[in-house]
């Protein structure tokens, strides 16, 4: 659905795609907080008067709207919002949340970065701004460029993801390609971790598709593109979700929502190079190899070889935390 929207030339395509994500996220929040196992069960819980039992030979009657809400295809009306808000207080706020504006790349960000960042939850604000001035009510960006990204990765959810996208858009609009490239890697990790933290949701593939089409192109340098396809991102998401589940079961990860300080070590090679290399974004040269710099060729060559090794290892059911000498030789050869 989202890919079809974004492939069109319609000026409203981005807004419509974000509408799909907002409605789907609202539905998932309701499902999570009520424990309803399906769209049908949630609809019957929220609006039981619209579900009629079978009478004689007549089939049961009910609205099919909840399946559409799950897919983000239909916006809830005021009556539905009133009932869901009574059942799950505050759930309507996800439809009105300011962080969605961070993803709206249909218009330049310009000077709105700080306005968007200040509207996010306290933990995200604290990741972006220096602590002492913030305590005094002043917003001063952290000077160390990597610190905000590290702190955001430690609390991955949609709001921390939105903050990283703001940083990416600022770098892109300032034409700081190297900064955008670095932030893009963090956005990639945050996206996968946010999906892992949210568990299986109805809009995960739509969210990934939106980033493939509209966000990751902003992270390119003059020589290197983020080349991950939707299929690859889905595979990476499923891998990290499985790892997340395993670490939860053994008690390695916190049960606190959006606490991903340990999980962020997985794409960072902290649990093995096989995991780390497999979860890295695909990189592609913008031009032919003979027109690219040696540095760009080496980086793209290494990324391609290391990801191939990692996927071969993990998809075979094995674990190799450190590449073998043979694998290292192949990675070295790919950089020449």
């Amino acid at each position: 659905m989202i890919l079809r929207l974004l492939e069109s030339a319609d000026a409203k395509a981005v807004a419509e795609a974000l509408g799909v994500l907002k409605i789907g996220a609202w539905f998932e929040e309701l499902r999570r907080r009520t424990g309803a196992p399906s769209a049908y069960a949630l609809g019957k819980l929220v609006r039981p008067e619209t579900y009629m039992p079978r009478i004689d030979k007549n089939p049961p009657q009910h609205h099919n709207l909840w399946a559409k809400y799950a897919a983000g295809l239909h916006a809830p009306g005021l009556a539905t919002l009133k009932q869901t808000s009574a059942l799950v207080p505050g759930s309507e706020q996800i439809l009105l949340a300011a962080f969605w504006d961070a993803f709206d790349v249909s218009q330049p960000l310009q000077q709105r970065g700080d306005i968007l960042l200040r509207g996010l939850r306290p933990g995200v604000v604290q990741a972006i701004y220096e602590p002492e001035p913030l305590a005094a009510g002043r917003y001063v960006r952290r000077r160390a460029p990597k610190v905000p990204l590290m702190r955001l990765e430690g609390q991955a959810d949609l709001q921390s993801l939105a903050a990283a996208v703001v940083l990416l858009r600022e770098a892109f609009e300032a034409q700081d390609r190297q900064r955008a490239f670095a932030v893009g890697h963090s956005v990639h990790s945050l996206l996968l971790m946010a999906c892992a933290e949210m568990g299986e949701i109805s809009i995960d593939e739509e969210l990934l598709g939106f980033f493939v089409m509209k966000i990751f192109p902003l992270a390119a340098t003059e020589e290197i593109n983020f080349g991950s396809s939707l299929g690859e991102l889905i595979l990476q998401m499923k891998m990290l979700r499985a790892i997340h589940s395993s670490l939860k079961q053994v008690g390695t990860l916190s049960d606190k929502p959006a606490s991903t300080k340990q999980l962020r070590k997985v794409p960072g090679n902290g649990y093995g190079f096989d995991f780390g290399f497999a979860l890295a974004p695909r990189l592609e040269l913008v031009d032919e190899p003979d027109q690219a710099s040696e540095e760009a060729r080496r980086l793209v060559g290494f990324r391609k070889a290391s990801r191939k090794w990692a996927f071969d290892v993990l998809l075979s059911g094995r674990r190799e935390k450190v590449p073998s000498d043979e694998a290292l030789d192949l990675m070295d050869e790919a950089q020449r």
Side-chain angles (χ1 to χ4, degrees):
M1 172 63 179
I2 278 185
L3 293 182
R4 290 199 301 273
L5 280 172
L6 297 179
E7 285 170 351
S8 75
D10 192 333
K12 298 180 180 178
V14 171
E16 291 176 356
L18 287 173
V20 171
L21 294 175
K22 289 179 188 180
I23 297 164
W26 166 79
F27 169 86
E28 291 294 343
E29 179 69 3
L30 290 173
R31 191 172 68 86
R32 181 183 67 82
R33 291 175 60 182
T34 61
S38 65
Y40 178 89
L42 181 58
K44 195 170 183 179
L45 177 66
V46 176
R47 302 201 65 181
E49 74 280 4
T50 65
Y51 286 71
M52 303 296 293
R54 179 186 293 273
I55 300 175
D56 295 329
K57 294 183 178 180
N58 296 321
Q61 298 178 9
H62 64 83
H63 291 308
N64 194 33
L65 288 178
W66 288 89
K68 294 181 179 179
Y69 295 150
L73 300 178
H74 188 82
L78 292 177
T80 299
L81 279 179
K82 184 176 180 180
Q83 287 181 278
T84 54
S85 298
L87 181 66
V88 183
S91 57
E92 74 285 355
Q93 292 303 316
I94 200 159
L95 285 170
L96 308 173
F99 70 80
W100 293 110
D101 291 339
F103 303 137
D104 186 358
V105 295
S106 61
Q107 298 294 329
L109 186 64
Q110 297 180 332
Q111 305 303 314
R112 295 183 296 116
D114 277 307
I115 296 173
L116 289 174
L117 291 170
R118 293 176 194 181
L120 299 173
R121 59 179 174 80
V124 174
V125 173
Q126 291 162 8
I128 300 295
Y129 297 99
E130 293 284 357
E132 292 185 7
L134 189 60
R138 293 186 295 113
Y139 294 88
V140 178
R141 296 280 186 102
R142 289 183 181 271
R143 289 180 290 276
K146 293 183 179 180
V147 171
L149 299 174
M150 292 172 59
R151 288 179 173 269
L152 291 173
E153 289 173 17
Q155 48 180 313
D157 64 1
L158 287 175
Q159 294 209 36
S160 56
L161 181 61
V165 170
V166 169
L167 300 182
L168 173 59
R169 293 178 66 188
E170 287 179 337
F172 174 79
E173 291 184 16
Q175 298 184 21
D176 188 344
R177 294 293 187 89
Q178 291 303 318
R179 170 65 175 167
F181 187 68
V183 177
H185 278 76
S186 189
V187 169
H188 183 274
S189 293
L190 272 162
L191 176 63
L192 294 179
M193 287 191 290
C195 287
E197 271 289 289
M198 289 186 290
E200 293 190 16
I201 61 173
S202 60
I203 60 163
D204 48 17
E205 294 188 12
E206 283 79 4
L207 182 63
L208 296 178
F210 184 87
F211 272 69
V212 167
M213 296 286 290
K214 293 297 178 181
I215 303 300
F216 289 133
L218 306 182
T221 70
E222 291 84 354
E223 295 191 285
I224 301 174
N225 282 326
F226 273 55
S228 295
S229 68
L230 177 57
E232 285 180 318
L233 272 178
I234 290 172
L235 178 57
Q236 289 178 316
M237 174 188 69
K238 290 179 177 179
M239 280 186 170
L240 187 58
R241 190 172 282 164
I243 297 166
H244 178 270
S245 178
S246 297
L247 293 176
K248 282 271 190 181
Q249 289 176 6
V250 299
T252 303
L253 299 184
S254 169
D255 287 328
K256 183 180 178 181
S259 178
T260 52
K261 290 180 181 179
Q262 291 297 320
L263 188 63
R264 71 178 294 270
K265 295 179 182 179
V266 178
N269 298 321
Y271 284 89
F273 285 93
D274 47 1
F275 285 161
F277 288 161
L279 295 172
R282 174 189 288 275
L283 301 180
E284 295 177 346
L285 291 173
V286 173
D287 299 314
E288 294 299 319
D290 60 355
Q291 297 178 323
S293 67
E294 180 182 355
E295 181 182 6
R297 290 198 308 271
R298 288 176 62 84
L299 177 57
V300 172
F302 174 78
R303 183 65 59 84
K304 181 178 180 180
S306 62
R307 289 173 88 251
K308 182 181 185 306
W309 166 78
F311 275 115
D312 287 346
V313 168
L314 295 175
L315 293 177
S316 70
R318 308 193 320 275
R319 285 294 321 278
E320 292 184 24
K321 293 185 178 182
V322 178
S324 64
D325 289 342
E326 180 183 0
L328 290 172
D329 287 342
L330 290 172
M331 292 177 204
D332 184 61
E333 180 67 27
Q335 298 180 68
R336 296 178 186 173

